[in-house]
Amino acid sequence: MPTIAESGLPGYEVNGWYGLLAPARTSGPIVNQLNAEIQEGLQSPELQEKLSALGVEAAGSTPAEFEKLIKTDALKWQQLIKRLKITME
């Protein structure tokens, strides 16, 4: 079976992800504290085992890295939607 690139879609990549967001204007120290606690939790062998059983790879990041991921993905999908003229019915 050919790969997606071999089928005529080079550079095609879709990754699903999960993340936690805080309300707008949450203070930086609170966001950083939440992030630190989440990063610590992601290191838990029990959580890693449960996620692995679901086929999920836990990969934490900083708030700035997550913001960049959200913006990059939003732009990618926005461009695709415009190019394909996708509309809601």
Side-chain angles (χ1 to χ4, degrees):
M1 175 176 286
T3 65
I4 292 176
E6 293 168 342
S7 297
L9 293 170
Y12 179 87
E13 180 180 25
V14 175
N15 292 308
W17 49 262
Y18 297 94
L20 297 175
L21 300 170
R25 296 189 258 331
T26 300
S27 73
I30 298 285
V31 169
N32 291 332
Q33 181 179 356
L34 287 168
N35 186 63
E37 297 291 335
I38 290 165
Q39 297 305 317
E40 184 178 328
L42 289 175
Q43 301 306 311
S44 158
E46 296 85 11
L47 180 58
Q48 287 185 4
E49 184 179 322
K50 288 179 181 183
L51 292 174
S52 180
L54 297 171
V56 174
E57 180 181 335
S61 67
T62 67
E65 290 169 335
F66 187 46
E67 180 181 9
K68 182 179 177 184
L69 172 67
I70 292 170
K71 288 179 178 179
T72 300
D73 269 10
L75 180 60
K76 174 178 71 174
W77 293 114
Q78 179 184 33
Q79 291 171 342
L80 181 66
I81 289 166
K82 284 182 179 180
R83 188 178 51 160
L84 297 177
K85 298 178 182 166
I86 297 171
T87 60
M88 293 180 60
E89 294 182 21

